[in-house]
Amino acid sequence: MEEQQHPQARKDRNIVNTLLVEDPTNHNLAELARLRIRYRGFPGARDIQADLDKVLQNWQFTEDILFEKTRQLHRTGSVYSQVRSNKRDEEDWS
C-alpha cells in the first residue's frame, strides 16, 4: 500500500510539535484526541502517528483515558470556548 500525504499534515505537525513539549491542558487534550481520531488508520503520516503515541506516553495516558477525559470536557462545552472567544476578539472588524 502506498504511503499518502495527509492534506492537513503541515498544520498538524505544528500542533504535534507543541503537544510534545507542553503539559496536558484541556485544550491540548482535545487537540491530541482530535488528531488521534484524524490519523487513525490513515495510510501515511507515520511520523505524526508515532509522535501522537509519544505524547500519550509522555502524559502517561492510554487512549481510553484520553477519550474519557475529552468526552467530559466536551460535555461541559469548555474545550474550545476560550479559543473561540479569543478568536472573536481578534476578528473584530468594527
Side-chain angles (χ1 to χ4, degrees):
M1 183 174 242
E2 187 178 324
E3 292 286 306
Q4 295 180 17
Q5 176 72 27
H6 195 282
Q8 299 293 323
R10 182 175 293 152
K11 184 176 84 171
D12 292 343
R13 168 46 62 195
N14 292 332
I15 295 168
V16 172
N17 289 344
T18 299
L19 296 176
L20 284 165
V21 297
E22 289 190 358
D23 292 326
T25 64
N26 289 349
H27 181 262
N28 287 346
L29 290 171
E31 288 293 277
L32 178 58
R34 182 178 66 80
L35 293 175
R36 294 282 299 185
I37 292 166
R38 175 178 286 169
Y39 287 94
R40 179 184 290 150
F42 182 77
R46 303 289 179 216
D47 61 323
I48 289 176
Q49 292 180 38
D51 283 346
L52 293 172
D53 289 341
K54 193 181 299 183
V55 172
L56 268 182
Q57 290 175 333
N58 290 346
W59 293 350
Q60 299 179 350
F61 288 161
T62 64
E63 190 172 78
D64 288 339
I65 291 171
L66 171 69
F67 288 155
E68 177 56 33
K69 285 183 176 290
T70 55
R71 276 192 297 274
Q72 290 172 2
L73 291 171
H74 284 292
R75 274 195 285 276
T76 66
S78 63
V79 176
Y80 291 107
S81 60
Q82 182 64 37
V83 173
R84 279 190 214 116
S85 67
N86 288 344
K87 196 170 263 193
R88 275 190 218 115
D89 292 342
E90 293 171 8
E91 294 177 3
D92 182 9
W93 295 2
S94 57

